[in-house]
Amino acid sequence: MTRIVAGSVGGRSLQVPRAGTRPTSERVREALFSRLEHLDVVAGARVLDLYAGSGALGLEAASRGAAAVTLVELARQAAEVCRRNVVTLGVGDRVVVVAEKAERFVERPPLAPWDLVLVDPPYDLSEADLVTVLRGLVGNLAEGAVVVVERSGRAPEPDWPQGLTRFDARSYGETAVWFAEPDEDEEGNA
């Protein structure tokens, strides 16, 4: 069972797609959000959750005070599960689900820059596709924004495009998490 770890809907259960996704464990989400809250990038944030799966990461952000969350998921069944989770948790006033390919979604400038971007792609996503997504974020990030990439512990560190700089990395068992920030001259230049 997957549950929201903390916040306004902490402890509530989430539906998970039957196949094709790999929800982030509660232990990893707890550690990740502890780090993000320490960095002060969750409360009041505009959050983008790419490759949302069940929506666990973005919904955790909403539970912990994010102002607006966009869950992007291409798989029809997973996007429907995200929608059901949004309704069940009662966070539809600040969480939207977009059924679209992440690479295509990041090609369009957002209505306002993102404060926090959570990128948890399928393990079989190619490094080239990951770089395409990361490159699409450059110029669409707020001052002080954080980009989080979660991958298998066996995957190499992402090849950060110009405009993003890694400032931290953590390992949680079989999961590796990298934290990046926009270069000062790239913030909000959409």
Side-chain angles (χ1 to χ4, degrees), residues 91-171:
V91 293
D93 60 327
R94 57 202 152 112
V95 181
V96 297
V97 179
V98 177
E100 186 173 5
K101 193 172 186 177
E103 294 85 346
R104 183 169 298 133
F105 182 86
V106 298
E107 289 176 353
R108 293 186 309 277
L111 297 176
W114 302 109
D115 300 301
L116 174 60
V117 180
L118 305 162
V119 184
D120 182 12
Y123 283 170
D124 63 356
L125 183 79
S126 75
E127 295 304 312
D129 285 343
L130 178 57
V131 170
T132 297
V133 168
L134 295 173
R135 192 175 298 121
L137 297 172
V138 174
N140 294 318
L141 300 169
E143 181 178 347
V146 173
V147 176
V148 177
V149 177
E150 179 183 331
R151 301 282 275 171
S152 163
R154 295 180 294 277
E157 178 175 346
D159 184 13
W160 301 102
Q162 184 175 349
L164 283 177
T165 302
R166 178 182 61 86
F167 67 87
D168 197 3
R170 303 285 169 112
S171 183

Side-chain angles (χ1 to χ4, degrees), residues 20-107:
T21 63
R22 174 196 35 77
T24 302
S25 74
E26 286 182 38
R27 184 177 142 252
V28 172
R29 274 186 289 121
E30 184 172 18
L32 171 63
F33 277 90
S34 175
R35 178 73 175 122
L36 292 171
E37 287 178 326
H38 176 75
L39 294 169
D40 197 28
V41 294
V42 179
R46 285 184 35 82
V47 178
L48 176 60
D49 181 358
L50 297 171
Y51 309 98
S54 66
L57 289 175
L59 293 168
E60 188 75 43
S63 181
R64 292 172 184 248
V69 178
T70 300
L71 307 175
V72 178
E73 175 56 56
L74 176 62
R76 184 178 314 188
Q77 180 194 24
E80 187 53 41
V81 167
C82 286
R83 287 185 185 98
R84 286 195 302 267
N85 284 333
V86 167
V87 170
T88 300
L89 295 177
V91 293
D93 60 327
R94 57 202 152 112
V95 181
V96 297
V97 179
V98 177
E100 186 173 5
K101 193 172 186 177
E103 294 85 346
R104 183 169 298 133
F105 182 86
V106 298
E107 289 176 353

